[in-house]
Amino acid sequence: VQVIDDEGAWPLVRSRLDAADAGDPLPAIRRVLDEEAVRSFPLADGPLVRARLVTVDDRDRILVLSIHHAVTDNWSYGVLLRELAAAYDAFADGRDPRLPPLPVQFADFAAWQRREYESGALERHARYWRDRLADLPPAPSFVVGDLRAEEAVPGSGGDFVLGPDLTAGLRALANRENATLF
């Protein structure tokens, strides 16, 4: 069920690194990021967006955003980051941030989709994908252990670098296969 929060307020937790971490704050910052990565989201009640502002010292702050994937996609996340950067620049210059008004709200888009669906106009698209995906192998069967609702499932991550030649090759492959690089 879609729920639109008119307030648009995100919970913001403020914290400060210990004075003991002042010499080399990176391990403490990593601990904060690890804490946020393993915190689960209460899907039934929300919020599905969290923010934590960590004061490193008198000059430096770190904003940690945790956003459930049901709330945003990678493209929309990029829009959010650009708008946050624009707001940050405006505040740093002593200006009020001014973002252009959105020509279409998500609710408008959802209403358009609903009208398209109810009119039958989406059947052509559905038929295309049914035909395109008709010869797929059967879906794999996974055995999932009993996960209790209160058990946190830790997130994980890793960094790696792809060289320019490999990246160019992957882009070419994606283009040939009509796929995204993602």
Side-chain angles (χ1 to χ4, degrees):
V1 174
Q2 178 189 45
V3 177
I4 299 174
D5 181 359
D6 291 332
E7 301 275 323
W10 298 354
L12 175 66
V13 174
R14 295 173 186 262
S15 61
R16 176 180 293 274
L17 294 186
D18 292 330
D21 296 316
D24 181 13
L26 291 180
I29 293 168
R30 174 52 61 194
R31 281 193 302 275
V32 167
L33 295 174
D34 289 344
E35 287 171 16
E36 291 299 322
V38 298
R39 281 185 60 204
S40 62
F41 287 95
L43 295 178
D45 305 317
L48 300 182
V49 176
R50 291 189 301 265
R52 182 170 174 180
L53 185 64
V54 180
T55 299
V56 177
D57 54 33
D58 291 338
R59 202 189 90 186
D60 295 319
R61 312 285 187 280
I62 296 173
L63 178 64
V64 180
L65 294 178
S66 300
I67 303 175
H68 192 278
H69 66 87
V71 174
T72 190
D73 58 21
N74 204 34
W75 181 85
S76 301
Y77 194 69
V79 172
L80 171 65
L81 292 179
R82 284 191 301 277
E83 290 183 356
L84 280 174
Y88 179 87
D89 288 343
F91 281 126
D93 291 342
R95 299 178 285 112
D96 282 336
R98 299 271 185 231
L99 297 173
L102 296 175
V104 176
Q105 297 290 326
F106 182 78
D108 300 324
F109 178 75
W112 170 80
Q113 277 191 321
R114 171 63 57 188
R115 285 191 305 273
E116 289 287 295
Y117 174 75
E118 289 172 350
S119 74
L122 296 180
E123 180 55 33
R124 180 176 56 87
H125 298 292
R127 191 170 39 255
Y128 167 83
W129 285 109
R130 278 193 298 272
D131 292 346
R132 180 89 173 155
L133 302 173
D135 295 328
L136 289 179
S141 174
F142 297 103
V143 177
V144 178
D146 181 30
L147 292 177
R148 308 257 186 287
E150 61 274 0
E151 290 181 32
V153 179
S156 65
D159 296 330
F160 57 91
V161 177
L162 301 179
D165 292 340
L166 179 56
T167 301
L170 289 171
R171 285 187 200 282
L173 173 64
N175 286 335
R176 276 195 316 274
E177 298 299 322
N178 291 321
T180 66
L181 189 57
F182 178 74

